[in-house]
Amino acid sequence: PIRPLFPTGFQHETQVACFVLSTDQENAADVLAMLGTSVALNMSKIPFNTLVATVRIGRIKGTWVINPTFQQLEYSDLDIMVAGTENAILMVEGGAVEVSEADILAGLETAHQGIKELIDIQRELLEGHTVPDMDWSPIEPDQDLAAKVTEMAESRIQEALTLSDKAERNQAMAAVAEDVISRLIEEDEAYSDHEKSVKEVLRTIEKRSMRRRILEQGERADGRGLEDVRPITSEVGVLPRTHGSALFTRGQTQALVATTLGTSRDEQRIDTIDSAEEVTKSFMLHYNFPGYCVGESWPNRGPKRREIGHGVLAERSIKAVLPDHDDFPYTIRIVSDITESNGS
C-alpha cells in the first residue's frame, strides 16, 4: 500500500526497516509495522504526505472483530488484512472459509472504519512533529522527446496490443522500440544517448493505451472482455510414482503440481516469536517461479517475494477445504512449478 503513494517521478531509493523488539505473543506485529511505517514516512523529509493504516479483520459467531488476537483467530471464519487511507482501500490480502462476497464486502467496510480511527491517532501524534519536505525534482523524460516518440509510436503500439498471443505481442512491441530508436538516431546522432528514456516513454504509452482500451472499449490485451476468463484445463495423475500430480493450464499460464504425503514425523517445525509453544505445520505449499516461465534468465537462488506471496495465497485457499486432521492425519506437501506464465 505504501509504494503507489510516492509522488510520480520520485526516484530516490527509499527503504523502511521494521523490527520486532518485543512481543506479547497475543497480537500480530504486522499491523503495528504498517502503522509505524506510515508515521515514519509522514514525519520525515521524504515527500510522502498520505496517512496510511492497516487492520486485520476477523469474524467470530457473526460478530466482526478488528485486529483479533491469535487465540481469537482460531475461531474466526476469515482472516483478512486491509490497508487504506482515510478515503480509500489500497490493499486486501487474506483468506476465508467459503465466505460470500457480500460478507467480504461488509468486512471491508468494517475494516475501513478501523483504518480511519488509526489515521486519526496518527494525525494527533504527528501534530507539531513533522519537518518540511526535501527539495527534489521529478525524474521524467524530456517533453520534446516524449512528444516525438508518441507521434511515432502510439498508433503502432495500439495495433500491437490487439495481438492475442503474448509472444507475438512482445515481438511487435520490441520491433516498435527498435524502429523508433533507429529513426531518432538517423535524425540526430545525439539520440543514441537517450535509448533508456525512449523505452520509458514507450512503456508509458503502452500503459496509457491499455488502460484506455479497457475503460473505453471494455477489452483487454488479448481481446477478452472484462468478464471473460481464459480457457482452463486440468489433468491429474500426469506424473508416475508420486502421491498425486496435476497439470493446470489457463490460457498461456501453466503449473505442474506434485503432492507428497507423509506422517506426523514429517510436519514442519517452525520457530516463531508469536507463540511460546512449539508450532508445527502439517500442510505446506511451495510455489516455484523459474526465469524460463517468462522467457527470462536469472540465478536460481532463494525464493523471491512473488514466490513467497503467491505460495501463501495458494496454500491459504486450499487449507480452508482440507479434510479435518483427525480424519486425514497426514502431512501434505504440494510443490507448484510454473512452466509458463502470462499474468497472474
Side-chain angles (χ1 to χ4, degrees), residues 266-277:
D266 297 307
E267 291 181 352
Q268 182 181 17
R269 290 186 298 174
I270 302 173
D271 291 325
T272 173
I273 61 173
D274 294 335
S275 175
E277 301 176 358

Side-chain angles (χ1 to χ4, degrees), residues 30-77:
D30 46 11
V31 170
L32 291 172
M34 183 67 238
L35 193 64
T37 297
S38 176
V39 170
L41 286 170
N42 281 278
M43 187 182 288
S44 73
K45 65 179 182 180
I46 297 169
F48 187 100
N49 302 301
T50 306
L51 294 172
V52 189
T54 299
V55 300
R56 173 176 277 102
I57 190 75
R59 186 176 65 174
I60 302 173
K61 295 183 178 179
T63 301
W64 294 109
V65 180
I66 295 178
N67 293 333
T69 63
F70 293 132
Q71 186 176 13
Q72 288 176 316
L73 275 176
E74 294 179 6
Y75 301 95
S76 176
D77 60 355

